[in-house]
Amino acid sequence: MDRILRPEGAVIIRDEVDVLIKVKKLIGGMRWNMKLVDHEDGPLVPEKVLIAVKQYWVTDGNSTSTQ
């Protein structure tokens, strides 16, 4: 999904909390911003919504290769 989504593009995922926690770990590794929010019917609904936004970032250009 990281290659498909453009920088500053958003993904909305609705599922149960245990699935969203696993997805949240993956999204964190891709340097995306994310927010886990309650279902529109209230916090007692077991289904939650994860909103993730891919960030635009570039390397600093000062990286050195080890040879």
Side-chain angles (χ1 to χ4, degrees), residues 6-62:
R6 292 177 181 240
E8 299 179 357
V11 174
I12 301 171
I13 303 170
R14 180 187 301 210
D15 209 325
E16 294 185 7
V17 176
D18 57 340
V19 174
L20 293 180
I21 296 300
K22 293 176 185 178
V23 173
K24 190 174 177 181
K25 289 179 185 178
L26 293 171
I27 290 174
M30 294 189 288
R31 301 181 184 181
W32 292 15
N33 289 339
M34 66 197 118
K35 186 173 185 179
L36 188 62
V37 295
D38 289 328
H39 191 274
E40 59 266 9
D41 290 338
L44 300 179
V45 178
E47 190 175 73
K48 304 294 179 197
V49 179
L50 178 70
I51 302 167
V53 178
K54 180 178 179 179
Q55 296 303 300
Y56 180 76
W57 61 274
V58 294
T59 60
D60 60 4
N62 293 331

